[in-house]
Amino acid sequence: MVGPQNPRRAEILGAAAELFARRGYHGASIGDLGRAVGLTGPALYRHFSGKEAVLAEMLLDISERLLAEGVRRAADPDPGRALDALLRWHIAFALDNPALITVHERELDNVPEPQRHRIRRLQRAYVEEWVAVLRRLRPALPDDRTRAAVHAAFGLLNSTPRSATGLDRTTMSALLHSMARSALESVVSPGVEDVSSADGKG
């Protein structure tokens, strides 16, 4: 697992997330990042080989953490509890790390290809944990529909850089949980038809 190797590296990654989210990856220099943590640019190279390495480790770390905890929570034998646990985990992550979400959305293409490929593989595996839980709730649900529902729910949960600005954390957490749970449960509820079939267009 990549993860921060020591507290100093963790501090650098945290400062980089805030800096890249605010200025953009190309708008922040190694010197800017060094100053944010009280280091000169050259001193920062003792911890990372360059700005690309900082971005790559940052996004690999969050992808690995999401998947590891997702696997743990999805393992609950009760699929309803597993879904609730996944929601609570992802909501807490999204509320605690809006800068990381912003950086991921904007800057993934700036990660070198080998690491970018690994990040996408980890993310697909995380999605599949959610898909498996939803399929346990309704085994007849097609995989493509289930997967689309999970991605749509992530769009809601990952809205925190924009949506979580006017409410306190507890209220926002409850709101996200209620909305996402209702949306996902509506997909897996028996009797829910595909819109195209229900209106005669399918």
Side-chain angles (χ1 to χ4, degrees):
M1 183 170 179
V2 175
Q5 299 299 308
N6 56 50
R8 191 56 158 162
R9 288 175 74 88
E11 181 186 11
I12 293 167
L13 292 175
E18 296 293 335
L19 196 61
F20 293 165
R22 188 168 63 252
R23 298 188 187 178
Y25 174 76
H26 293 295
S29 68
I30 280 289
D32 294 329
L33 180 52
R35 284 189 291 275
V37 293
L39 294 172
T40 63
L44 197 62
Y45 287 111
R46 291 201 296 268
H47 299 277
F48 293 94
S49 61
K51 198 167 65 166
E52 276 189 345
V54 173
L55 180 64
E57 181 163 326
M58 179 194 307
L59 298 186
L60 274 169
D61 176 58
I62 65 170
S63 299
E64 290 180 336
R65 282 194 283 140
L66 282 168
L67 176 58
E69 188 63 18
V71 168
R72 189 182 75 81
R73 293 184 179 230
D76 192 307
D78 182 312
R81 286 200 309 260
L83 178 59
D84 186 65
L86 285 170
L87 284 167
R88 284 187 282 105
W89 156 241
H90 198 105
I91 289 166
F93 177 86
L95 289 172
D96 288 341
N97 299 283
L100 284 174
I101 290 173
T102 298
V103 173
H104 176 268
E105 289 179 348
R106 293 179 183 171
E107 312 295 356
L108 181 58
D109 286 345
N110 289 308
V111 174
E113 175 54 32
Q115 294 96 325
R116 187 165 70 247
H117 176 76
R118 186 176 175 194
I119 289 166
R120 293 196 183 281
R121 180 170 53 80
L122 291 164
Q123 291 170 341
R124 286 194 296 270
Y126 181 56
V127 169
E128 292 308 309
E129 292 296 323
W130 288 68
V131 169
V133 168
L134 293 177
R135 289 296 306 280
R136 286 162 57 200
L137 286 166
R138 189 180 176 196
L141 197 65
D143 280 349
D144 57 351
R145 183 183 176 94
T146 310
R147 202 167 288 113
V150 171
H151 281 293
F154 285 177
L156 168 64
L157 300 178
N158 292 341
S159 70
T160 54
R162 300 168 294 279
S163 63
T165 56
L167 297 177
D168 63 82
R169 180 191 171 88
T170 300
T171 303
M172 191 66 201
S173 177
L175 178 63
L176 288 171
H177 189 282
S178 175
M179 292 178 70
R181 177 99 196 197
S182 295
L184 290 170
E185 286 181 340
S186 73
V187 173
V188 301
S189 296
V192 174
E193 301 290 341
D194 187 285
V195 172
S196 61
S197 298
D199 64 10
K201 296 178 182 178

